[in-house]
Amino acid sequence: MSIDVLSALALFSLITSLTPGPNNLMLMASGANFGFMRTLPHMLGITFGFMSLLLLVGLGLIKVFDAFPIIYTVLKVVSLIYLLFLAYKIATAAPVATATATGNPMSFLQAAGFQWVNPKAWAFGLSIITIYVPASGFAPLMLTAVVVAVMAVPSVVIWTIMGGQMSRFLTSTVRLRRFNGTMALLLVASLFPILWPDS
């Protein structure tokens, strides 16, 4: 893989990772409700979960999807149901004091598993495999996955910190409910360009 391709991949990965989507909106909500340190497993789960998705898609899962297009439809339905559930959980999150004491942010495994029903992750992963992986074989695929993971770090950190900074203004139950409700609506809205790109 040439330096030019690596540079283009890094820039594409950084920009795509920074744009609003289900992962970033949930990180912001988690940062606001639980703080940076308690959101760390969530952040790591996103990074490693997407790497595993990218590797498996690159190693042949994409051929299964091409052979059975119905899988895309099933994935859309499952993604929609799960993301609506997550939006509900965000909208009904406990007040800050209660959440800090007893709430549970998304775990590493939950965040990693979420990548498999995250429509933005699938769209991102399929684009990377078809555009930037220049040859078959594990080495270029692994290099691609590492570059993408490294470029995702600024995004997960920035969105979590933004959520943490928001917590300074979420000192009342009313403000927290409004913030969580807004984040839930944005999470649902983020699905439409990905699930229905032609609408």
Side-chain angles (χ1 to χ4, degrees), residues 31 62 65 81 102 169:
I62 192 170
F65 276 68
I81 292 169
T102 62
F169 303 99

Side-chain angles (χ1 to χ4, degrees), residues 1-15 132 143 147 151:
M1 188 178 290
S2 69
I3 289 294
D4 289 342
V5 173
L6 278 174
S7 300
L9 170 64
L11 182 61
F12 175 76
S13 300
L14 178 64
I15 292 170
Y132 292 102
L143 178 59
V147 169
M151 299 313 294

Side-chain angles (χ1 to χ4, degrees), residues 3-188:
I3 289 294
D4 289 342
V5 173
L6 278 174
S7 300
L9 170 64
L11 182 61
F12 175 76
S13 300
L14 178 64
I15 292 170
T16 306
S17 297
L18 285 168
T19 57
N23 278 325
N24 292 337
L25 294 171
M26 288 192 302
L27 283 173
M28 189 173 187
S30 184
N33 284 282
F34 302 109
F36 187 89
M37 292 307 295
R38 292 189 69 193
T39 304
L40 196 55
H42 186 168
M43 297 160 63
L44 293 172
I46 288 172
T47 304
F48 286 98
F50 184 72
M51 275 187 72
S52 69
L53 183 147
L54 195 61
L55 288 171
L56 288 174
V57 168
L59 288 172
L61 194 56
I62 192 170
K63 294 178 182 176
V64 176
F65 276 68
D66 289 339
F68 303 99
I70 188 67
I71 295 175
Y72 286 110
T73 304
V74 173
L75 179 64
K76 282 185 178 184
V77 172
V78 172
S79 298
L80 180 61
I81 292 169
Y82 188 62
L83 284 166
L84 288 174
F85 168 73
L86 290 175
Y88 169 77
K89 294 290 284 182
I90 290 171
T92 58
V96 176
T98 306
T100 303
T102 62
N104 292 311
M106 191 172 272
S107 70
F108 175 88
L109 289 177
Q110 288 171 330
F114 171 68
Q115 304 318 301
W116 292 87
V117 293
N118 179 357
K120 183 181 176 182
W122 278 101
F124 185 26
L126 292 171
S127 297
I128 288 170
I129 294 300
T130 55
I131 297 170
Y132 292 102
V133 179
S136 59
F138 186 73
L141 181 61
M142 188 65 198
L143 178 59
T144 300
V146 169
V147 169
V148 171
V150 169
M151 299 313 294
V153 171
S155 174
V156 297
V157 169
I158 288 169
W159 281 89
T160 305
I161 288 174
M162 284 196 305
Q165 292 301 309
M166 286 294 298
S167 67
R168 290 201 265 176
F169 303 99
L170 305 176
T171 53
S172 73
T173 301
V174 173
R175 287 180 184 173
L176 180 68
R177 284 179 178 162
R178 286 177 181 168
F179 171 80
N180 286 339
T182 301
M183 296 309 294
L185 288 173
L186 289 173
L187 178 60
V188 172

